[in-house]
Amino acid sequence: MNIVEVAKQRYTTKAYDPQKKLTAEQQQQLLDLLRNSPSSLNLQPWHFFAVTSDEGKAKILPAIREFNLPRVRDAAMVVVFASADRLDDAHLAAVHARETADGRFKDDASAAANDNGRRQYIAAFGGDEQNVRHWLERQAYISLGFLLLGAAALDLNATPIEGFDPQKMDELLGLKAKGMHSLVVASIGFNSEKDFNATLPKSRFSEQQVITRL
């Protein structure tokens, strides 16, 4: 697989075939892409709602803007990306416990040093609560990028969606009680013949316009 060719060929899907579903293996691969996305300090400050059932779609559709309804209703999977409102000690402890269980530290001293270093970095550079909130949101967008490129590598189509009502989505998914908020949505599946974007040439600025070699 040539990842550059995948990036060149992928595009934002405008219409899905509602009759085509993902296999269990394809669903798992997409979930694995999300879970293995990188994040600053390995904080993983996110939660992903993977929607594949008609009941699940019906639950979130009231939050989707009208022009995006078909891209959610007809897709094989829809992912709602939720980001943590803030960092607290419980989350930092959970990250540290997971890293310890996964064998990332050679001894207790290195484990403690890693935990202390992470906390000191956040205290020194995290800024106020609003800055931290925005920083955490940016981590979720990294996972969105992973999903979009990964879906294309799996020969699946995908659409990033910001055209929804975040407050309504938060209400429908009970995110406020979880200390989280919805950030972005992505639909994945198989495009239909109505997908006009599939036949259009890709359009990007030239390398000279967007890249400076130093």
Side-chain angles (χ1 to χ4, degrees):
M1 176 186 65
N2 186 323
I3 198 67
V4 174
E5 289 305 312
V6 171
K8 288 180 177 179
Q9 293 173 16
R10 74 148 303 278
Y11 65 94
T12 296
T13 299
K14 302 299 183 180
Y16 288 92
D17 185 340
Q19 303 305 315
K20 293 184 178 180
K21 308 298 181 182
L22 299 173
T23 65
E25 181 180 5
Q26 287 171 324
Q27 290 188 32
Q28 189 60 56
Q29 287 175 318
L30 292 171
L31 300 183
D32 288 344
L33 281 169
L34 290 168
R35 196 172 65 84
N36 286 286
S37 299
S39 59
S40 181
L41 302 180
N42 197 30
L43 289 172
Q44 306 163 72
W46 48 46
H47 191 86
F48 309 107
F49 292 84
V51 184
T52 55
S53 67
D54 291 339
E55 293 79 9
K57 290 179 184 178
K59 182 172 184 176
I60 66 171
L61 278 175
I64 304 298
R65 303 295 185 194
E66 184 175 358
F67 60 89
N68 275 323
L69 286 175
R71 293 164 197 152
V72 171
R73 184 185 60 236
D74 297 339
M77 176 186 282
V78 180
V79 178
V80 179
F81 294 70
S83 176
D85 294 337
R86 62 187 62 84
L87 276 178
D88 57 23
D89 186 70
H91 186 83
L92 294 176
V95 172
H96 181 67
R98 183 70 263 171
E99 290 177 336
T100 302
D102 288 337
R104 289 183 58 83
F105 311 116
K106 62 181 181 180
D107 52 37
D108 291 344
S110 60
N114 182 271
D115 185 42
N116 291 333
R118 178 186 286 124
R119 292 170 183 271
Q120 289 172 5
Y121 180 92
I122 295 169
F125 303 109
D128 61 23
E129 188 171 304
Q130 185 176 22
N131 286 337
V132 171
R133 179 185 174 102
H134 291 164
W135 175 44
L136 299 180
E137 289 176 341
R138 290 194 291 272
Q139 310 315 306
Y141 272 95
I142 295 174
S143 62
L144 172 64
F146 257 55
L147 181 67
L148 295 179
L149 186 60
L154 295 171
D155 292 323
L156 300 173
N157 302 107
T159 309
I161 296 172
E162 287 188 319
F164 71 100
D165 184 335
Q167 291 185 339
K168 185 66 175 177
M169 187 69 78
D170 293 356
E171 176 186 334
L172 294 171
L173 296 178
L175 291 180
K176 186 176 181 180
K178 297 180 175 69
M180 308 197 81
H181 59 280
S182 57
L183 190 64
V184 66
V185 175
S187 52
I188 307 101
F190 303 89
N191 70 324
S192 73
E193 295 179 353
K194 298 178 181 179
D195 183 12
F196 66 88
N197 208 27
T199 59
L200 296 178
K202 203 176 189 76
S203 177
R204 295 292 188 271
F205 287 124
S206 69
E207 178 180 322
Q208 289 73 24
Q209 287 176 282
V210 299
I211 297 176
T212 298
R213 297 177 184 242
L214 298 177

